[in-house]
Amino acid sequence: MTQVRWAALPIVDGAGPCTERDGYRVGFAQTQTGALLATYHYVVHGNVDAPGKGTRALLEYALLDGPLKDETLQHVEAVENGAKVRTPDADLASIQFMGYRIVAFDDESAVIELRAGVPDQAAGSLSVKLVWKDGDWRIDPASGSDWVSSCTDLDRC
């Protein structure tokens, strides 16, 4: 495990992340474990409302090219420049990882659902679709407006 701001990020030998680049880590195995680790790292380190060192570069690397990638990078820039409100790290520190579900997986794509919340308060899930491209898992945006799909009612997710 390595601590990155508010979250402990797991590192699994042989599954990833295997490469450090400009303040972020990538290089995940083409396995279910690799896809899960990629999803978790991308969600934590790719938080557009609380970007840190390496967030912009990580999203440039991880997101497939397209309009959503451009909008996401513009959003990160706006938060970094103070044009949009930044979510304080302290607000994120109380969020705990509660589990995961591998919704779909094959050698070329995966859909991973992460469950997280604030104990005794709120919980929800985030689903991320990944594709295997250029030797690593990359994010295939969930919709035209976001790279994750979310659900706040765990009984219905």
Side-chain angles (χ1 to χ4, degrees), residues 101-105 110-113 127:
R101 182 167 66 110
I102 297 174
V103 178
F105 179 84
V111 177
I112 308 294
E113 179 183 284
S127 292

Side-chain angles (χ1 to χ4, degrees), residues 22-40:
D22 302 322
Y24 65 96
R25 298 176 67 95
V26 295
F28 299 94
Q30 194 174 9
T31 63
Q32 289 184 5
T33 302
L36 172 61
L37 290 167
T39 300
Y40 190 71

